[in-house]
Each structure stands twice: as structure tokens, then as C-alpha cells.
Amino acid sequence: MQTLSGFTTHALSSSLAHRRARIGAVLALCASSVLLAGCSPAISLQQADPRQAQVALSPCDQAWTAAHRDESPSADPLYTRSAGSRILLPLSQARHWQDVALHCPTRFEEAVTRSALAWHVAYQQSLATPQAAIAVTSPADMTIKAQQTLGQAAKLLAPAQLELATRAEDKAGFSTTLLAARSDSDGSALLKIGDRHHAAAQQLASAIPGSDPRKAVYSAQPLLDHPVTMRDPANGVEAPTAAVVEANCSRFLLEAFQGFARNTTKSHKSASQQGKDGSTSKSAPAQTVRQEQLSALTTFSALATAHLYTALEQGYPANDDLLLAPAGSSQE
């Protein structure tokens, strides 16, 4: 019995040792695999699918991606803890949404609206934290800058687009001037805004080949009845009257400029496709025309953004759905 017991013990010990050796070998193999995997280069999508190397993001895709990339850190309290970040982040958003307005015609209205919202946030943060010493363009300065190139840009608009934009600016100038005369507190500021509207209307009207669409005098009764706050006819929200005037002016401008934005992008795609096909090379005149169109679209989007930015500073609710409401049907 003792001999059998010794033999059994020896067999069990040998079996256990053999199993341990096998487990050790497996673990060593796994460890070496992990080390080799950690040292080996990552396989890119282009290596897995070589066709991906041929894919390039369009200007619209690039602008859209950059605009949405800014949204992630804005939700991070650690990132927005410093005063500088709270200003720089919305500034970056504003500029990226401006790029979307230039390169994504189907997103033109949304891009202008989101850019104005971001400018408003950045401006308010700069006023609240002057120690950050980061300058943010004011609505007035943005409007003035856009008007510096408006006269030249207006020459590229179709007559119907010009007439709609001209009436929008002229009516806003009339309404704001009327409100300035009845204001007890900010009449001077409103009068300056009204002057800028009239100046823009003059620049736009000068490019119209036909008769001047400006009426000079428009229906004043809604303003006389509600000089402080009124319901926005576009969405029914109650807001400061001057802000409603600015918001609706911007909406009519967006309506006027939307067609130009689509045509500009369409012509660029057509020219680019011809160059890829090898049938026609991009000539210097074509590039010049494209640059003029982009420059004009930059001016138009900046002007519409500036008016919406002004409305937000005057107290219009900072809500995407309200701001994106279509313009009313009347400019009387």
C-alpha cells in the first residue's frame, strides 16, 4: 500500500508539473503576442482598404467637421473653467460656422444662425471677464466691415435677390429710426443702427439695373402699438421690438442670399469636375470669378450674421428653433 501510494503521489506530481509547464508556455506566448502587438504599427483604414487613401473630404465636410468638433470641449467643465477658454471656444465655433456658410449651401441659414449665436456668447463672455483681455468683434463693427465690400458684392446678385435684400435693409432702417425717436433710453444707439441699415440699402439699390424698390415709408402701426416688445410674426415669440426688427431683416437677407450661395457652390463643383476629367483646365479667369463669388458670399453671410448678432444683443431669445423660423411674407 505504501508503494502504491508513493507511485500515485509521484504520478500526480508529474501530471501537475506538466500542466504548469504548459500553462506557463501559453502565458509566455500571450505575453509575447501583446508585446509584439504593442510594438507593431497600427493598421490604418487606408491599409485595410486602399481605396480610402483616394478619398478626400470636401470643403463642406471639412468645415462641418470642424464646427462640430468645437462642441465637445464646450460641454467639458474642466475645459471651460478658465475665462480665456470661455471666450476662445465660441470664437472658434463662430469662425468655423462662417466657413460652413461659405461651403455648404444647403446649410447656409443654419450656419449663419449658429455663427451669430457663437459670436453672441463670445461677446458676452468678453464683457463679463475683461481680465481675459481677448477682443471680440462687436455687432456694430461686424456690420461696418461687411458694408465696406457690400457695394462690390451686390453686383453679383440677381435682380430679384437684390430687390429683396434692398427692401429688407430699407424697412429695417425705417423701423429702427422710428423706434429711436420714441425711445427714452437707447435712442442714440438705435439711430446709429438705423443709419447703417439705410447705408446698406443704398449700396444694394445702387446695383439694381431697374427701378429703385425702396419705399422709404412703411407700415408703422405695429411699431407704434408695440414700441418696447412685440410678437415676432415669424414664430410668435415675444421679444424686444428692435430685436424683432433685426431678426426679420436677417431672415429676409438669408432668403435673398440663399440662391446665390447655392449657385456659387454649384459653379465651383462644375469647374472642379471639369479639371478632374481633364477636359478643361481651370483658367485664370475662372479662378478669378470663383474668388469674387466667395468674397461676395463672405460679405453676404457676414451682413446677415451681424444683424442676427445685433438682435441677440438686444435681447432676442438665443434659441435655434426660434431664430431659424422662416421670414414672414410681408415687407410692407
Side-chain angles (χ1 to χ4, degrees):
M1 293 296 293
Q2 291 179 351
T3 303
L4 181 61
S5 176
F7 174 78
T8 303
T9 302
H10 175 73
L12 289 175
S13 298
S14 299
S15 176
L16 182 59
H18 181 65
R19 288 183 182 180
R20 285 176 178 173
R22 290 182 62 186
I23 293 174
V26 170
L27 290 176
L29 179 61
C30 291
S32 62
S33 299
V34 171
L35 289 174
L36 289 173
C39 296
S40 62
I43 299 176
S44 66
L45 290 176
Q46 285 77 10
Q47 290 174 319
D49 184 1
R51 293 173 298 177
Q52 293 294 325
Q54 307 299 324
V55 177
L57 291 177
S58 68
C60 175
D61 291 333
Q62 293 177 25
W64 182 258
T65 300
H68 280 279
R69 188 184 299 125
D70 289 335
E71 294 180 359
S72 297
S74 66
D76 186 351
L78 294 177
Y79 186 87
T80 58
R81 183 172 295 174
S82 68
S85 296
R86 291 195 297 270
I87 300 173
L88 292 174
L89 181 60
L91 270 181
S92 177
Q93 290 175 323
R95 289 162 180 155
H96 283 142
W97 280 114
Q98 286 177 326
D99 290 339
V100 174
L102 295 181
H103 300 294
C104 306
T106 59
R107 300 282 188 177
F108 184 72
E109 295 182 18
E110 178 189 0
V112 166
T113 299
R114 293 188 183 279
S115 180
L117 284 165
W119 278 112
H120 169 61
V121 172
Y123 189 62
Q124 288 299 311
Q125 288 291 343
S126 69
L127 295 178
T129 55
Q131 68 274 15
I134 299 175
V136 178
T137 304
S138 69
D141 289 341
M142 185 179 294
T143 305
I144 293 170
K145 183 178 180 180
Q147 288 178 343
Q148 291 173 354
T149 53
L150 181 60
Q152 184 66 29
K155 298 176 182 179
L156 300 182
L157 290 173
Q161 297 167 343
L162 269 173
E163 291 178 7
L164 180 59
T166 300
R167 287 196 300 269
E169 290 286 3
D170 195 50
K171 182 180 179 182
F174 168 82
S175 302
T176 308
T177 302
L178 178 62
L179 292 174
R182 295 176 61 85
S183 176
D184 297 328
S185 56
D186 54 354
S188 177
L190 288 174
L191 191 59
K192 291 179 181 178
I193 293 174
D195 289 343
R196 288 193 287 271
H197 281 299
H198 280 135
Q202 176 61 47
Q203 289 176 292
L204 292 164
S206 297
I208 298 177
S211 59
D212 192 333
R214 290 176 292 176
K215 295 179 59 176
V217 177
Y218 298 82
S219 176
Q221 199 58 50
L223 302 175
L224 296 174
D225 292 341
H226 308 282
V228 180
T229 63
M230 68 181 299
R231 288 192 178 278
D232 188 343
N235 51 34
V237 69
E238 187 82 13
T241 303
V244 172
V245 170
E246 290 295 318
N248 279 286
C249 178
S250 179
R251 291 185 180 113
F252 279 113
L253 290 183
L254 289 173
E255 183 179 332
F257 300 150
Q258 178 72 65
F260 180 80
R262 288 177 178 171
N263 291 337
T264 297
T265 304
K266 187 184 299 183
S267 64
H268 175 59
K269 286 183 178 179
S270 176
S272 298
Q273 187 60 45
Q274 288 179 348
K276 290 178 181 178
D277 294 342
S279 56
T280 307
S281 61
K282 272 192 175 181
S283 62
Q287 292 178 346
T288 300
V289 169
R290 169 60 179 166
Q291 189 56 46
E292 289 176 349
Q293 291 174 333
L294 273 180
S295 178
L297 189 56
T298 300
T299 296
F300 299 146
S301 63
L303 186 64
T305 300
H307 291 330
L308 205 52
Y309 182 8
T310 302
L312 291 166
E313 290 301 313
Q314 291 173 332
Y316 199 93
N319 179 281
D320 291 8
D321 294 334
L322 295 178
L323 292 170
L324 286 169
S329 59
S330 175
Q331 280 190 315
E332 301 299 323

